[in-house]
Amino acid sequence: MGKPTGFMEYERKTGMAAAPKERIKHFREFHVPLSEEEQRRQGARCMECGVPFCQAGVMIEGMASGCPLHNLVPEWNDLVYSGNWEQAYSRLIKTNNFPEFTSRVCPALCEAACTCGHYGDAVASKENEKSIIERAYASGMVKAHPPKVRTQKRIAIVGSGPAGLAAADQLNKRGHQVDVYERDNRIGGLLMYGIPNMKLEKWVIDRKTSIMQEEGVTFFTGVDVGKDLKASKLLKDYDRVVLACGAKQPRDIQAPGRDAKGIYFAVDYLSSITKSLLDSDLKDKKFISPKGKHVVVIGGGDTGNDCVGTSIRLGAASVTQLEMMPKAPDARAADNPWPEWPKVCKTDYGQEEAIAVFGHDPRIYQTTVKEFIKDKNGNLNGLATIQLEQKKDEKTGRTAMVPKEGSEHKIPADLVLIAAGFLGSEKYVADAFGVTLTKRGNVLSKEGQYQTGAKNVFVCGDMHRGQSLVVWAIREGREVAAEVDYSLMGYTYMTVQ
């Protein structure tokens, strides 16, 4: 464990973020890491509790509590405290293929379940995780280790997001030949084009995938399986196929005027900007520009926040964020006790920047679009919104958000970004492989497994479970790899925890 009195002696600290008005001048990551001395103090706060909820990864009231990867959090926190960075790295990668990703973009389910957080401030485990992996890279600990023996089994993975990459990494380490097919021009899927650069700089992805290539994984970009490459070809050439194509079917907002020019899905908006940024540092102008426009983001989640921060960086005249649900409480409610995931109001980096630039929080709660207003040329020039209120259906007993009569309001809008979530995977890939979709648009598998109804075809990640977190995608990639390995070899030494 860490220092026995560490949680009483030291306060929680994390790397300082650059001031909002400074960081909006660029698209780089903006947190300054702690000194080694301070980082070790943060490790000292971990008590290696008798029941370490931080690594439990269990579902409580429909929400995850603790790390779904069952990361050995108390172990590597203690190793950070003692300065044993090499062993800390060894324990970290035992359960997590990509700590360089999760330490940047994971909402830290481990910290939400930390016992210290029950009475005070949680241990800064996410900060310690990033410190371990970045120190490992800087000191040369992270090296390619190609498998010494190959099994002669071939596996195709369709999709290079975190689930596909995790499956590829595991199966390649086992000695199988793994080929990854990606329809975009760069590897990374959601990591590359779904998450803005200031949250995850893309050299971080390239650094890891380069090592995977050295270890024997082959990547094919610009190949749209199901269109450019027939499913029958993959099924013929490979022993197994793993579908990891994500859940990229966006949920639309149907209201009068939806055909107005100037309405885009958030994923298309963010992707266009990241591609232009990587290709030309935005000089090619091949992106959806918010400059000088009144931007309205529909959706209050992480993607909506990313749209807010991105729009501010590119010179939006104003940014408004519409959220259908009521504002969450600032502290845990009585019916949301630890170690449940805390359903509290979070002001993220994009909202912080909006407050700094425009002087107010961009979020308007319990509000939705009643009509998209357009001019005579069909261009969007405003929104008619309406407030929502909670009402209980007497027949079903369910509570729903319904329009409140007389609460209509008009706001300026030249650009609308729909960040209302996703409805499941894109159907053409499922049709190409002959797999069945659930009512939610996810690929159906055997209960508790990853095998689909199609012979030799497996599924994992968001395509399997629906829109979720990167950490869940990694877990599914590890689990499907073990299942594929067992189906090929009749046994497996792979572990998912």
Side-chain angles (χ1 to χ4, degrees), residues 175-281:
H176 305 310
Q177 176 57 52
V178 181
D179 294 342
V180 180
Y181 292 87
E182 170 56 56
R183 70 178 178 182
D184 279 321
N185 64 333
R186 291 182 174 89
I187 295 299
L190 165 75
L191 298 166
M192 180 62 68
Y193 289 129
I195 298 175
N197 219 55
M198 52 276 195
K199 285 175 69 173
L200 176 63
E201 291 193 51
K202 306 315 170 189
W203 62 264
V204 177
I205 304 170
D206 295 338
R207 179 179 64 179
K208 179 59 180 180
T209 54
S210 292
I211 290 175
M212 291 175 66
Q213 286 179 296
E214 288 183 56
E215 293 178 331
V217 178
T218 304
F219 294 102
F220 298 93
T221 57
V223 181
D224 194 346
V225 174
K227 292 182 178 178
D228 303 333
L229 181 60
K230 291 185 177 180
S232 58
K233 174 69 173 171
L234 290 187
L235 292 170
K236 178 183 177 182
D237 292 349
Y238 293 89
D239 298 290
R240 299 290 185 271
V241 175
V242 177
L243 303 180
C245 306
K248 298 184 74 173
Q249 190 67 39
R251 180 181 283 108
D252 206 347
I253 301 293
Q254 295 300 335
R258 175 62 181 84
D259 60 341
K261 300 171 187 175
I263 304 173
Y264 299 91
F265 289 115
V267 65
D268 297 329
Y269 172 71
L270 295 173
S271 295
S272 75
I273 292 164
T274 299
K275 285 180 180 178
S276 179
L277 182 67
L278 297 177
D279 289 344
S280 68
D281 196 25

